[in-house]
Amino acid sequence: MEWLSAENVVAVGTALLGIVASGVMVWYERRVPRRKRIGYRVQMDNPIGDDVRSGRANRRLGLFDEVPGMSDATLVLLRIENDGSQSIADNDYTGRELHGLTAVFTDRTIRGVSVTQPVGTDHLMDHFTPAAGLGYDGNTLRIPRVPLNPRDHFKLLVLLSGGDVGCPIRLIGGIRDGEVHPNRSATPDDKAPLFSRASRLITIMLTVCVVTLAAIVVLRDDSPPPIGCARGTLTVTGSTAFAPVVEEVAKKYARDCEGAQVTVDPHGSTAGVRELEATGLAAKNGSPAVVALSDGPKPSDMPQLRENRIAVSVFAIVVNNGVRLKNLSTADVRRLYRGEITNWKQLGGPDLAVHLVSRDANSGTRQVFQRRVLKRGEIANSSVDCVHKDDPTAPVIRCELDSTDQVLTQVAELPGAIGYSELTLASGAKGLHTLDLDGHPPSVDAIEQGTSDYPYREIEYAYTYGRPPADSLASSFLTYLSRGNGQDVIRTHGHIPCWTPEGLKLCA
């Protein structure tokens, strides 16, 4: 089913994970941090003696130099804080001793202690008395049962001797329904983090979920879905000039519509239309699964064929790069194709023999050229290889080839050659260039904007035998080609879609 696609499953799963993460974060912040917690951190641990064991030079003056036993002295600033969300009272300390907490300075001896507290917490000082348990012995400092509101803290500046900087410092004690734990070291003015580490991890997880979901939405293919996908097989034949468009559209349709197989088999416009008629006459069940593309309208003796106007195609006359002409009049083109011009110097070009490289009789590109430019048919074929004249009586060498690609290749390789092609294919070919007609360049933009009278253009038709069923692959594919995503492909290949405001006028 469509809603069970991999993208939707990932998106829904990510959204659910984000919701769960949000719920866990709310629960954690409302429940877990409400435990009573005392944190401690060492904000300073500096030598004030000779510090010989650390290998660092030290200079002292005054008291630091006069008091005995200061050669290995260190100074420690210990911060103790309530970093939970509940207040801590004096009876929340669980030890049996008079004091509440014990600070142990490993391998060092306490020489003196000074208690400090931030502004606005002078009431804390009343608890730091010997009667309340304040005192020290050896490496152990006894700290009274100090009540602390959330975010309250105090600091102990301790003078020690013996040991060395960095020796372990531990705070020992118990809190009812809570804990005593070390915090990360920080500068003296740092505050405890607003959120716990677990809370921050959950927040990061939620952010990743939201970003992932947003990426899925942004990066997924938002192309409009095809109009009425259909399954089955379909053969598209006819025009070789329009074949690159149909081949690309067929691939897109197959990707968008599962179960559809579209085969593109171009043989020329006339051959494709005749094949469609023959297949339709032989079919016993209505319209066959065949579509024929034609560069121009079908012959009048095929009433069963139903037309669909797809695009306006622009064609171009091409010459070998050795012919340095850029523009020809329509009259000169007609003289060329009547065999009246045999050498390019007759038109002001180089001294090169004219070689007419044409398409076979099944070509819609040829029919458009004869109908729109020559206003008549071309002279007879006089060469098989386009180089040697097989008919000595022919005024000029003329050959016929089966496809647009063959024409472009031959014109590019043969000096003095002239031919015709669909414009986009001609513009990308090397060794040749396009010609203006009566000063009008072969320009899709100019034609679409209505500013050009360039004559070599025609409507591209798609024919079916009768009206195919609405739910058939032929009907669906034609709608996709003319009105759906196929319009972008048509424009990319240098054609004007009929189902655009400008195209409707040109295709009328």
Side-chain angles (χ1 to χ4, degrees), residues 92-112:
D92 285 325
Y93 294 90
T94 59
R96 295 184 179 182
E97 298 84 359
L98 178 62
H99 62 279
L101 301 171
T102 302
V104 178
F105 300 86
T106 306
D107 296 336
R108 287 187 268 189
T109 302
I110 301 174
R111 303 290 298 276

Side-chain angles (χ1 to χ4, degrees), residues 353-359 381-390 396-402 406-407 409-411 413-418:
V354 172
H355 294 255
L356 303 178
V357 182
S358 298
R359 288 289 308 279
N381 186 26
S382 62
S383 175
V384 174
D385 61 5
C386 301
V387 178
H388 303 94
K389 188 184 294 186
D390 299 329
V396 68
I397 293 177
R398 178 182 177 274
C399 63
E400 295 182 358
L401 300 177
D402 295 333
Q406 291 178 2
V407 169
T409 300
Q410 188 66 61
V411 171
E413 295 177 352
L414 183 61
I418 181 173

Side-chain angles (χ1 to χ4, degrees), residues 51-132:
D51 199 23
V52 175
R53 279 169 291 184
S54 297
R56 296 190 292 269
N58 201 311
R59 297 291 183 266
R60 306 185 306 280
L61 292 175
L63 183 63
F64 288 157
D65 191 40
E66 297 169 1
V67 175
M70 297 293 289
S71 61
D72 57 358
T74 54
L75 200 59
V76 170
L77 182 63
L78 181 64
R79 172 181 169 130
I80 299 174
E81 56 205 357
N82 180 354
D83 60 1
S85 59
Q86 290 189 2
S87 297
I88 296 175
D90 55 1
N91 59 358
D92 285 325
Y93 294 90
T94 59
R96 295 184 179 182
E97 298 84 359
L98 178 62
H99 62 279
L101 301 171
T102 302
V104 178
F105 300 86
T106 306
D107 296 336
R108 287 187 268 189
T109 302
I110 301 174
R111 303 290 298 276
V113 179
S114 174
V115 181
T116 64
Q117 82 288 329
V119 177
T121 57
D122 293 340
H123 60 281
L124 297 181
M125 294 302 292
D126 296 337
H127 298 275
F128 290 99
T129 63

Side-chain angles (χ1 to χ4, degrees), residues 117-261:
Q117 82 288 329
V119 177
T121 57
D122 293 340
H123 60 281
L124 297 181
M125 294 302 292
D126 296 337
H127 298 275
F128 290 99
T129 63
L134 179 63
Y136 62 86
D137 183 18
N139 67 346
T140 302
L141 171 62
R142 298 182 294 277
I143 303 171
R145 298 169 178 259
V146 181
L148 294 172
N149 293 323
R151 317 298 293 174
D152 277 355
H153 75 273
F154 59 88
K155 300 180 183 180
L156 301 172
L157 186 62
V158 185
L159 177 65
L160 305 119
S161 62
D164 197 5
V165 170
C167 289
I169 300 172
R170 295 178 296 123
L171 191 66
I172 302 172
I175 300 295
R176 184 178 296 107
D177 297 328
E179 63 178 348
V180 176
H181 66 99
N183 283 331
R184 64 179 179 86
S185 61
T187 63
D189 295 326
D190 263 0
K191 296 181 179 179
L194 181 62
F195 293 103
S196 64
R197 177 180 298 178
S199 175
R200 293 196 299 272
L201 289 176
I202 293 174
T203 303
I204 292 173
M205 181 186 300
L206 175 60
T207 302
V208 171
C209 292
V210 173
V211 170
T212 302
L213 182 58
I216 292 174
V217 173
V218 171
L219 296 179
R220 71 181 181 180
D221 185 8
D222 285 328
S223 300
I227 304 174
C229 280
R231 295 173 177 269
T233 59
L234 175 68
T235 298
V236 181
T237 186
S239 170
T240 60
F242 206 69
V245 175
V246 183
E247 288 170 353
E248 184 172 341
V249 173
K251 292 178 182 178
K252 289 177 65 70
Y253 187 91
R255 287 197 302 266
D256 292 341
C257 296
E258 184 178 354
Q261 182 179 351

Side-chain angles (χ1 to χ4, degrees), residues 309-383:
R309 301 190 179 198
I310 304 299
V312 173
S313 295
V314 181
F315 302 86
I317 298 174
V318 294
V319 294
N320 182 274
N321 278 341
V323 180
R324 301 189 181 280
L325 299 177
K326 301 297 183 182
N327 176 73
L328 286 177
S329 67
T330 303
D332 287 339
V333 173
R334 292 170 181 171
R335 291 173 62 200
L336 279 165
Y337 279 86
R338 286 198 300 265
E340 297 173 4
I341 305 295
T342 60
N343 192 295
W344 286 105
K345 66 182 180 181
Q346 296 175 248
L347 296 176
D351 185 10
L352 290 172
V354 172
H355 294 255
L356 303 178
V357 182
S358 298
R359 288 289 308 279
D360 58 72
N362 290 323
S363 167
T365 305
R366 170 178 167 174
Q367 293 173 11
V368 175
F369 180 61
Q370 294 176 163
R371 184 170 59 252
R372 295 285 188 176
V373 181
L374 299 184
K375 301 298 184 180
R376 52 160 290 168
E378 299 182 46
I379 60 176
N381 186 26
S382 62
S383 175

